[in-house]
Amino acid sequence: MNNIRYVYFLGIGGIGMSALARWFLVNGYEVAGYDRTATALTNALQQEGMAIHFEEDVEQIPAHFRENRDETLVIYTPAVPKTHQEYIYLTEHGFTLQKRSQVLGLLAGRMTTVAIAGTHGKTTTSSMVAHILKDSGVNCAAFLGGITQNYGTNFLLNEPTDDLSKVICVVEADEFDRSFLTLFPQVAIVTSTDADHLDIYGDHNAVLDSFSAFVSQIKPDGTLFMKRGLALADRTPATVYEYALDEGSFYSKNLRIENACFVFDIVYPQGVIENIALQMPGFHNVENAVAAAAAALQVGVAPEQIRQALGNYKGVKRRFEYILKSKNVIFIDDYAHHPAEVFAFLSSLKALYPERKVTAIFQPHLFSRTRDFADAFAKSLSLADRVILLDIYPARELPIEGVSADLIFKSILSENKVQCTKADLPDLLRKEPPELVATIGAGDIDQMIPVLRNLFETNQ
C-alpha cells in the first residue's frame, strides 16, 4: 500500500467499513465512498471530511480517484452485489479491489493482534478489551463493530510509533463470509459458535469448521480464551483457557445486583479481582467482562487497572442501552438478533426489574434467519410479558416464499402478543403504555427510538 493515496469504499456506512475508513483518513489518505442510504454514521463521516454519495453513479466517484487508478485502493463489503454499477466499473477498469477483511488483516498483521470472535457477544467483548487497554494507558488501536459509549466511535487510533509490533490491535473478528480468516492473532477470544449466517454457511457444521480454521491461525506462542464447552481446544496450536459465568479457569463469583448494576469478582489462575461494578447490565455481559479481563491480563494489564476500567465502562450503543429511565417507564434498546442473544437479554432484564412487566418489541432480521430459527426466537421472546412483533427487516435478502414474522408469532407463548407495523407502533403503545419496554433487533428498529422516547416523555 506504499503507493496508495486515495481509498474508495463501496458500502462505507457499515459499522466495520466506517472504522477502516476512519483509520485511513486519520493516517493521511483521502477517503471517499458510496452507501445505499444516509445514516447518522455516514453524516458523521462526511463531517470528518469524507466525500460520500448515495446514488449508484460512477460519475460521483471523485474524478481524481478515477484518473489515478494505480494510486487508488477500493475496499468493498460482500453485501455489495456484483451487479452494482460502480463495482462493475471499478473491476473492468483495473482498479485494485479488496474486501474489508483483507485490508483489516493486512493492517492488524503489522501490530500485535487481540481478536474477538463469536456468533454473539463479540462487539461488547471487543469494546471492553479496547476500553481496558485505553483506560490503562496501553498503546492500542481498535476496529470495533459498534459505537462505544465511552469514546463515541467504533475506532480507536494508536499513538504514533516507529515499531507497530508494540501496538496492541483489538479487532472484532467477524465470522460473516469467513472474514476473520484474514487474521493471525496473538491472543484470541471465542465467545460462542452457535448456528448463524446459515444463508452463507449452509449448516452448523460449516460454521464450526470456520471457527476451527480461525483458531488454527492463532500464533503458536499465542493464547485462546474460549467459552467453556466449545470444541476448539484441539484445533489450535495456542495455549487454551476456558472461561464462563461461574466456571473455568476464569469466572465470576459473588455476583449480585446493586442499584441496577451487576457487582462481582473475577477469579483467575493467579488471584481474584474483587468488587467490579459493571454499569452495563446483563449476566451475559458479566461473562463478556470475564473474557475481556482474561485477555487484558494476558497482555500485561494490572488487575487493579482492569477493575477500574470495567467500573467506568459505559457500554456500546444498541447493546443494553438505556434510552429513558423514569418513575413510570424504563426504555432500553438492544441489538440482539439471534435467539440466544434475545434470551440472554430478556433474562437479564427480568432479573434487574422483577417488579415490572416487560414489553418486548422485536424486529426479525433476515428472511433466512427467521426461517432457520423461528421456534427458537418464539421461545426466547416468550420470556416477555407482552410481545409486539414487527415485520422482517430483509437487509441484503430478497423475500423467501412462505417466510414471514408469522412463523415466529404463532409459537410465542406470551398471552399478550400482537403483530404490527412500525407505523402503527406509537398508537399501540399509546393505548397500552408499558412500564418496562425494550426495542430489540439488528434492522432499522432503532429509527423508532426518538419517536418512542418522545411518546413516553410526553406521557409522563
PDB file of all heavy atoms in Angstrom, residues 115-136:
ATOM      1  N   ALA A 115      -7.866 -10.660  18.865  1.00  0.00           N
ATOM      2  CA  ALA A 115      -9.057 -10.824  18.030  1.00  0.00           C
ATOM      3  C   ALA A 115     -10.174 -11.478  18.837  1.00  0.00           C
ATOM      4  O   ALA A 115      -9.946 -12.487  19.512  1.00  0.00           O
ATOM      5  CB  ALA A 115      -8.731 -11.656  16.801  1.00  0.00           C
ATOM      6  N   ILE A 116     -11.361 -10.904  18.744  1.00  0.00           N
ATOM      7  CA  ILE A 116     -12.507 -11.416  19.486  1.00  0.00           C
ATOM      8  C   ILE A 116     -13.550 -11.911  18.493  1.00  0.00           C
ATOM      9  O   ILE A 116     -14.081 -11.140  17.693  1.00  0.00           O
ATOM     10  CB  ILE A 116     -13.113 -10.345  20.404  1.00  0.00           C
ATOM     11  CG1 ILE A 116     -12.104  -9.922  21.476  1.00  0.00           C
ATOM     12  CG2 ILE A 116     -14.377 -10.887  21.092  1.00  0.00           C
ATOM     13  CD1 ILE A 116     -11.177  -8.803  21.084  1.00  0.00           C
ATOM     14  N   ALA A 117     -13.837 -13.204  18.538  1.00  0.00           N
ATOM     15  CA  ALA A 117     -14.773 -13.828  17.606  1.00  0.00           C
ATOM     16  C   ALA A 117     -15.928 -14.457  18.368  1.00  0.00           C
ATOM     17  O   ALA A 117     -15.848 -14.700  19.570  1.00  0.00           O
ATOM     18  CB  ALA A 117     -14.056 -14.890  16.769  1.00  0.00           C
ATOM     19  N   GLY A 118     -17.010 -14.739  17.642  1.00  0.00           N
ATOM     20  CA  GLY A 118     -18.158 -15.405  18.248  1.00  0.00           C
ATOM     21  C   GLY A 118     -19.431 -15.004  17.540  1.00  0.00           C
ATOM     22  O   GLY A 118     -19.550 -13.891  17.031  1.00  0.00           O
ATOM     23  N   THR A 119     -20.394 -15.906  17.484  1.00  0.00           N
ATOM     24  CA  THR A 119     -21.646 -15.592  16.797  1.00  0.00           C
ATOM     25  C   THR A 119     -22.478 -14.581  17.579  1.00  0.00           C
ATOM     26  O   THR A 119     -23.381 -13.965  17.030  1.00  0.00           O
ATOM     27  CB  THR A 119     -22.473 -16.868  16.547  1.00  0.00           C
ATOM     28  OG1 THR A 119     -22.488 -17.664  17.738  1.00  0.00           O
ATOM     29  CG2 THR A 119     -21.871 -17.693  15.421  1.00  0.00           C
ATOM     30  N   HIS A 120     -22.202 -14.404  18.867  1.00  0.00           N
ATOM     31  CA  HIS A 120     -22.757 -13.291  19.618  1.00  0.00           C
ATOM     32  C   HIS A 120     -21.827 -12.979  20.783  1.00  0.00           C
ATOM     33  O   HIS A 120     -21.060 -13.817  21.232  1.00  0.00           O
ATOM     34  CB  HIS A 120     -24.188 -13.559  20.105  1.00  0.00           C
ATOM     35  CG  HIS A 120     -24.413 -14.922  20.662  1.00  0.00           C
ATOM     36  ND1 HIS A 120     -24.144 -15.265  21.957  1.00  0.00           N
ATOM     37  CD2 HIS A 120     -24.891 -16.058  20.080  1.00  0.00           C
ATOM     38  CE1 HIS A 120     -24.446 -16.537  22.167  1.00  0.00           C
ATOM     39  NE2 HIS A 120     -24.893 -17.045  21.041  1.00  0.00           N
ATOM     40  N   GLY A 121     -21.859 -11.719  21.209  1.00  0.00           N
ATOM     41  CA  GLY A 121     -21.010 -11.286  22.314  1.00  0.00           C
ATOM     42  C   GLY A 121     -19.710 -10.614  21.905  1.00  0.00           C
ATOM     43  O   GLY A 121     -19.025 -10.021  22.734  1.00  0.00           O
ATOM     44  N   LYS A 122     -19.375 -10.681  20.605  1.00  0.00           N
ATOM     45  CA  LYS A 122     -18.041 -10.189  20.212  1.00  0.00           C
ATOM     46  C   LYS A 122     -17.937  -8.667  20.230  1.00  0.00           C
ATOM     47  O   LYS A 122     -16.871  -8.128  20.534  1.00  0.00           O
ATOM     48  CB  LYS A 122     -17.636 -10.730  18.845  1.00  0.00           C
ATOM     49  CG  LYS A 122     -18.558 -10.424  17.688  1.00  0.00           C
ATOM     50  CD  LYS A 122     -18.045 -11.079  16.407  1.00  0.00           C
ATOM     51  CE  LYS A 122     -19.026 -10.895  15.259  1.00  0.00           C
ATOM     52  NZ  LYS A 122     -20.266 -11.713  15.457  1.00  0.00           N
ATOM     53  N   THR A 123     -19.014  -7.949  19.911  1.00  0.00           N
ATOM     54  CA  THR A 123     -18.924  -6.487  19.893  1.00  0.00           C
ATOM     55  C   THR A 123     -18.705  -5.937  21.298  1.00  0.00           C
ATOM     56  O   THR A 123     -17.810  -5.114  21.527  1.00  0.00           O
ATOM     57  CB  THR A 123     -20.192  -5.875  19.276  1.00  0.00           C
ATOM     58  OG1 THR A 123     -20.309  -6.294  17.922  1.00  0.00           O
ATOM     59  CG2 THR A 123     -20.128  -4.355  19.314  1.00  0.00           C
ATOM     60  N   THR A 124     -19.510  -6.390  22.246  1.00  0.00           N
ATOM     61  CA  THR A 124     -19.342  -5.927  23.622  1.00  0.00           C
ATOM     62  C   THR A 124     -17.989  -6.336  24.172  1.00  0.00           C
ATOM     63  O   THR A 124     -17.275  -5.525  24.784  1.00  0.00           O
ATOM     64  CB  THR A 124     -20.467  -6.473  24.503  1.00  0.00           C
ATOM     65  OG1 THR A 124     -21.720  -5.968  24.043  1.00  0.00           O
ATOM     66  CG2 THR A 124     -20.269  -6.074  25.961  1.00  0.00           C
ATOM     67  N   THR A 125     -17.587  -7.586  23.949  1.00  0.00           N
ATOM     68  CA  THR A 125     -16.324  -8.067  24.500  1.00  0.00           C
ATOM     69  C   THR A 125     -15.136  -7.326  23.897  1.00  0.00           C
ATOM     70  O   THR A 125     -14.202  -6.934  24.612  1.00  0.00           O
ATOM     71  CB  THR A 125     -16.182  -9.580  24.269  1.00  0.00           C
ATOM     72  OG1 THR A 125     -17.337 -10.252  24.787  1.00  0.00           O
ATOM     73  CG2 THR A 125     -14.948 -10.127  24.979  1.00  0.00           C
ATOM     74  N   SER A 126     -15.146  -7.107  22.592  1.00  0.00           N
ATOM     75  CA  SER A 126     -14.025  -6.401  21.955  1.00  0.00           C
ATOM     76  C   SER A 126     -13.962  -4.950  22.421  1.00  0.00           C
ATOM     77  O   SER A 126     -12.872  -4.404  22.647  1.00  0.00           O
ATOM     78  CB  SER A 126     -14.116  -6.484  20.431  1.00  0.00           C
ATOM     79  OG  SER A 126     -15.336  -5.954  19.951  1.00  0.00           O
ATOM     80  N   SER A 127     -15.124  -4.318  22.612  1.00  0.00           N
ATOM     81  CA  SER A 127     -15.104  -2.933  23.098  1.00  0.00           C
ATOM     82  C   SER A 127     -14.643  -2.867  24.550  1.00  0.00           C
ATOM     83  O   SER A 127     -13.986  -1.893  24.955  1.00  0.00           O
ATOM     84  CB  SER A 127     -16.484  -2.286  22.932  1.00  0.00           C
ATOM     85  OG  SER A 127     -17.431  -2.865  23.797  1.00  0.00           O
ATOM     86  N   MET A 128     -14.964  -3.885  25.329  1.00  0.00           N
ATOM     87  CA  MET A 128     -14.447  -3.957  26.704  1.00  0.00           C
ATOM     88  C   MET A 128     -12.931  -4.079  26.718  1.00  0.00           C
ATOM     89  O   MET A 128     -12.242  -3.376  27.469  1.00  0.00           O
ATOM     90  CB  MET A 128     -15.056  -5.158  27.437  1.00  0.00           C
ATOM     91  CG  MET A 128     -16.468  -4.970  27.930  1.00  0.00           C
ATOM     92  SD  MET A 128     -17.055  -6.485  28.746  1.00  0.00           S
ATOM     93  CE  MET A 128     -18.603  -5.911  29.441  1.00  0.00           C
ATOM     94  N   VAL A 129     -12.394  -4.970  25.885  1.00  0.00           N
ATOM     95  CA  VAL A 129     -10.936  -5.142  25.810  1.00  0.00           C
ATOM     96  C   VAL A 129     -10.276  -3.820  25.414  1.00  0.00           C
ATOM     97  O   VAL A 129      -9.306  -3.367  26.033  1.00  0.00           O
ATOM     98  CB  VAL A 129     -10.546  -6.254  24.813  1.00  0.00           C
ATOM     99  CG1 VAL A 129      -9.030  -6.308  24.638  1.00  0.00           C
ATOM    100  CG2 VAL A 129     -11.068  -7.614  25.280  1.00  0.00           C
ATOM    101  N   ALA A 130     -10.812  -3.190  24.373  1.00  0.00           N
ATOM    102  CA  ALA A 130     -10.242  -1.931  23.892  1.00  0.00           C
ATOM    103  C   ALA A 130     -10.283  -0.862  24.983  1.00  0.00           C
ATOM    104  O   ALA A 130      -9.312  -0.118  25.178  1.00  0.00           O
ATOM    105  CB  ALA A 130     -10.988  -1.459  22.650  1.00  0.00           C
ATOM    106  N   HIS A 131     -11.405  -0.797  25.694  1.00  0.00           N
ATOM    107  CA  HIS A 131     -11.523   0.221  26.748  1.00  0.00           C
ATOM    108  C   HIS A 131     -10.548  -0.047  27.894  1.00  0.00           C
ATOM    109  O   HIS A 131      -9.928   0.887  28.423  1.00  0.00           O
ATOM    110  CB  HIS A 131     -12.949   0.286  27.275  1.00  0.00           C
ATOM    111  CG  HIS A 131     -13.085   1.192  28.456  1.00  0.00           C
ATOM    112  ND1 HIS A 131     -12.870   2.556  28.372  1.00  0.00           N
ATOM    113  CD2 HIS A 131     -13.360   0.933  29.772  1.00  0.00           C
ATOM    114  CE1 HIS A 131     -13.024   3.102  29.568  1.00  0.00           C
ATOM    115  NE2 HIS A 131     -13.321   2.136  30.428  1.00  0.00           N
ATOM    116  N   ILE A 132     -10.428  -1.292  28.309  1.00  0.00           N
ATOM    117  CA  ILE A 132      -9.483  -1.616  29.381  1.00  0.00           C
ATOM    118  C   ILE A 132      -8.069  -1.177  28.996  1.00  0.00           C
ATOM    119  O   ILE A 132      -7.354  -0.556  29.789  1.00  0.00           O
ATOM    120  CB  ILE A 132      -9.507  -3.128  29.709  1.00  0.00           C
ATOM    121  CG1 ILE A 132     -10.848  -3.525  30.336  1.00  0.00           C
ATOM    122  CG2 ILE A 132      -8.367  -3.489  30.667  1.00  0.00           C
ATOM    123  CD1 ILE A 132     -11.047  -5.028  30.469  1.00  0.00           C
ATOM    124  N   LEU A 133      -7.661  -1.488  27.767  1.00  0.00           N
ATOM    125  CA  LEU A 133      -6.319  -1.120  27.322  1.00  0.00           C
ATOM    126  C   LEU A 133      -6.155   0.392  27.267  1.00  0.00           C
ATOM    127  O   LEU A 133      -5.170   0.952  27.762  1.00  0.00           O
ATOM    128  CB  LEU A 133      -6.032  -1.737  25.952  1.00  0.00           C
ATOM    129  CG  LEU A 133      -6.044  -3.264  25.855  1.00  0.00           C
ATOM    130  CD1 LEU A 133      -5.698  -3.719  24.436  1.00  0.00           C
ATOM    131  CD2 LEU A 133      -5.080  -3.885  26.846  1.00  0.00           C
ATOM    132  N   LYS A 134      -7.127   1.070  26.660  1.00  0.00           N
ATOM    133  CA  LYS A 134      -7.051   2.529  26.518  1.00  0.00           C
ATOM    134  C   LYS A 134      -7.041   3.197  27.890  1.00  0.00           C
ATOM    135  O   LYS A 134      -6.242   4.101  28.154  1.00  0.00           O
ATOM    136  CB  LYS A 134      -8.246   3.013  25.699  1.00  0.00           C
ATOM    137  CG  LYS A 134      -8.186   4.477  25.285  1.00  0.00           C
ATOM    138  CD  LYS A 134      -7.231   4.667  24.130  1.00  0.00           C
ATOM    139  CE  LYS A 134      -7.334   6.063  23.547  1.00  0.00           C
ATOM    140  NZ  LYS A 134      -6.338   6.281  22.480  1.00  0.00           N
ATOM    141  N   ASP A 135      -7.937   2.766  28.760  1.00  0.00           N
ATOM    142  CA  ASP A 135      -8.054   3.358  30.089  1.00  0.00           C
ATOM    143  C   ASP A 135      -6.802   3.105  30.927  1.00  0.00           C
ATOM    144  O   ASP A 135      -6.479   3.903  31.820  1.00  0.00           O
ATOM    145  CB  ASP A 135      -9.289   2.783  30.798  1.00  0.00           C
ATOM    146  CG  ASP A 135      -9.674   3.551  32.043  1.00  0.00           C
ATOM    147  OD1 ASP A 135     -10.150   4.691  31.908  1.00  0.00           O
ATOM    148  OD2 ASP A 135      -9.485   3.021  33.155  1.00  0.00           O
ATOM    149  N   SER A 136      -6.089   2.025  30.617  1.00  0.00           N
ATOM    150  CA  SER A 136      -4.889   1.655  31.369  1.00  0.00           C
ATOM    151  C   SER A 136      -3.616   2.233  30.769  1.00  0.00           C
ATOM    152  O   SER A 136      -2.509   1.940  31.251  1.00  0.00           O
ATOM    153  CB  SER A 136      -4.785   0.125  31.453  1.00  0.00           C
ATOM    154  OG  SER A 136      -5.945  -0.420  32.046  1.00  0.00           O
TER     155      SER A 136
END
